[in-house]
């Protein structure tokens, strides 16, 4: 397994600037040989691709990487082919996946990631690294051709994981939603990544980084709670 | 327009029993000629269809209606054909819509509803009365053949509507989610129905019932806030 992935739960941690909580980890992950990162802003819906790219370019610039939005290239598939690293921004997962299909990018990103090109993402941009987007929290505002996603990791991702609920509100909790998913999909792990935490996959290893604990769910299995340093290698089996 | 619809936001209002908050309205809606209601429990995922039907049968029984689950019939399409009223329960909207497609029920329910058969639903069961499920709050735990739904009303429904958010949590608010929907779908109304409220459609009229206010959204339009007695007939234009 040559995939090199950094999967963040969120972009803005409470009280911090954009990607500030993860900047040093992103720097460590990308290393010093990479100079430029290709940014995919497709998950942004109420913000222009230019605005989104400019916003993300700042924290990347502060750790020494140039960021270029994929919308600036005439041929997005060629842009991925030439890229030395790809960052996928958060927003709406359905819109992100729809645009990836529309631009025929899934195969190329998957192929380059399997050859070792670093891919990092947050929120919706993390979600699409799993086999499907069936554990997104987002509203299905647009219908993608399929829920199938990059399948770079064999487990489902639930970003912004929380067990907090709104008082006196009858909507399903996150735990209930994931329990429903497991009922229909008993043979797959779901990893709830709380805000502030992330997963790093490299050299066939997977680790969790950040102050929070991740929760790992599977039908018929007691929920596993894991933190920095814990062995979560079974997730890649 | 002959549709006769009762679209509830939720089944359990804070501090009340199952469907208790809407029982008298359901009674008034179904009237005295209807004796039996066909119940569609497909949205239930972590509960058996029998258990779900038994749960719903109680409040319906208390206002004088017999309830039979569609899963008890050999031929579900025939069951809809013979039904004098249909109730669609809440749960997961993606699972509900998938099962309706699997059992070829959408055309038959739509056709009978257009001839005046009363249809009532709550949460996911309300959601599917719109043109599509693109404004559901649910997790996409299963992939339906299409997001297209019954299209018995020309607007999108967002049940359990709330503007409350979790403190210090970066996930999108409901308002942001709907704003994203409108950005991609500018030509359609979205009706946010708060818990406790419902919409009643009958004789070409539409009204809102319940203590709460509904919110009506459309791209480029100031949000309309409507309560019992307000004219919301533009929603059916």
């Amino acid at each position: 397994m040559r995939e090199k992935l950094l999967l963040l739960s969120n972009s803005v941690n409470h009280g911090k600037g954009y990607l500030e909580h993860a900047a040093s980890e992103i720097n460590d992950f990308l290393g010093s040989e990479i100079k430029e990162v290709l940014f995919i802003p497709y998950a942004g819906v109420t913000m222009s691709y230019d605005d989104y790219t400019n916003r993300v370019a700042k924290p990347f610039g502060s750790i020494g990487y140039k960021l270029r939005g994929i919308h600036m290239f005439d041929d997005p598939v060629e842009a991925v082919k030439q890229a030395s690293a790809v960052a996928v921004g958060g927003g709406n997962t359905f819109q992100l996946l729809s645009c990836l299909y529309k631009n025929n990018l899934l195969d190329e990103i998957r192929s380059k990631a399997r050859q070792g090109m670093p891919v990092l993402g947050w929120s919706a941009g993390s979600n699409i690294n799993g086999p499907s987007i069936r554990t997104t929290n987002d509203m299905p505002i647009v219908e993608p051709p399929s829920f199938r996603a990059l399948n770079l990791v064999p487990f489902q991702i639930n970003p912004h994981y929380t067990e907090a609920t709104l008082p006196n509100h009858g909507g399903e909790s996150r735990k209930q939603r994931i329990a429903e998913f497991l009922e229909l999909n008993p043979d797959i792990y779901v990893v709830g990544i709380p805000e502030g935490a992330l997963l790093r996959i490299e050299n066939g290893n997977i680790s969790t980084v950040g102050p929070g604990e991740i929760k790992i769910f599977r039908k018929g299995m007691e929920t596993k709670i894991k933190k920095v340093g814990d062995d979560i290698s079974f997730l890649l089996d």
Side-chain angles (χ1 to χ4, degrees), chain A:
Chain A
M1 187 176 179
R2 298 181 59 191
E3 286 86 338
K4 193 171 147 79
L5 311 171
L6 198 70
L7 310 178
L8 284 67
S9 178
N10 57 322
S11 56
V12 182
N13 226 28
H14 181 63
K16 298 244 179 182
Y18 203 84
L19 291 174
E20 188 184 344
H21 70 287
S24 68
E25 191 67 26
I26 293 172
N27 198 354
D28 187 69
F29 172 75
L30 290 173
S32 56
E33 280 185 31
I34 288 168
K35 307 293 175 203
E36 187 171 308
V37 174
L38 180 68
F39 178 58
I40 299 184
Y42 295 155
V45 178
T46 52
M47 191 194 287
S48 76
Y49 290 165
D50 276 346
D51 286 350
Y52 196 0
T53 305
N54 288 338
R55 186 174 191 189
V56 177
K58 279 176 203 151
F60 274 82
S62 74
I63 50 173
Y65 303 99
K66 193 182 166 192
L67 197 83
R68 286 183 74 188
I70 196 168
H71 62 292
M72 303 295 288
F73 293 82
D74 288 335
D75 181 344
V77 175
E78 190 59 31
V80 174
K81 268 202 181 106
Q82 302 299 330
S84 46
V86 164
V88 189
N92 184 284
T93 310
F94 292 89
Q95 170 73 345
L96 169 58
L97 190 60
S98 292
C99 293
L100 289 174
Y101 274 107
K102 205 174 290 172
N103 290 296
N104 282 312
L105 286 173
L106 286 157
D107 288 344
E108 191 59 36
I109 297 171
R110 187 185 298 115
S111 155
K112 285 214 55 180
R114 289 195 171 148
Q115 294 162 41
M117 176 190 70
V119 172
L120 70 106
W122 51 96
S123 195
S126 287
N127 241 312
I128 57 158
N129 286 273
S132 80
I133 62 163
R134 286 171 299 165
T135 48
T136 177
N137 309 307
D138 294 339
M139 189 173 270
I141 58 173
V142 67
E143 186 171 349
S146 163
F147 286 180
R148 281 192 296 272
L150 288 171
N151 197 25
L152 292 171
V153 293
F155 50 85
Q156 288 287 133
I157 294 161
N158 183 252
H160 301 280
Y161 182 77
T162 176
E163 291 180 4
T165 54
L166 296 173
N168 306 339
H169 188 264
E172 289 88 355
S173 71
R174 194 67 64 83
K175 265 181 114 161
Q176 283 174 303
R177 292 168 194 272
I178 291 173
E180 289 184 346
F181 173 83
L182 296 177
E183 193 63 37
L184 298 187
N185 306 276
D187 299 323
I188 189 163
Y189 288 110
V190 178
V191 183
I193 314 178
E195 299 197 333
L198 58 90
L199 296 176
R200 182 166 173 170
I201 290 122
E202 203 168 353
N203 303 320
N205 293 317
I206 179 168
S207 56
T208 176
V209 180
E213 294 165 327
I214 62 166
K215 293 217 173 173
I216 304 171
F217 307 91
R218 190 167 176 137
K219 169 83 174 159
M221 181 192 88
E222 205 180 329
T223 302
K224 292 182 196 286
I225 304 174
K226 300 287 181 181
K227 56 183 195 310
V228 177
D230 288 345
D231 180 10
I232 51 171
S233 56
F234 60 93
L235 285 175
L236 297 183
D237 288 346

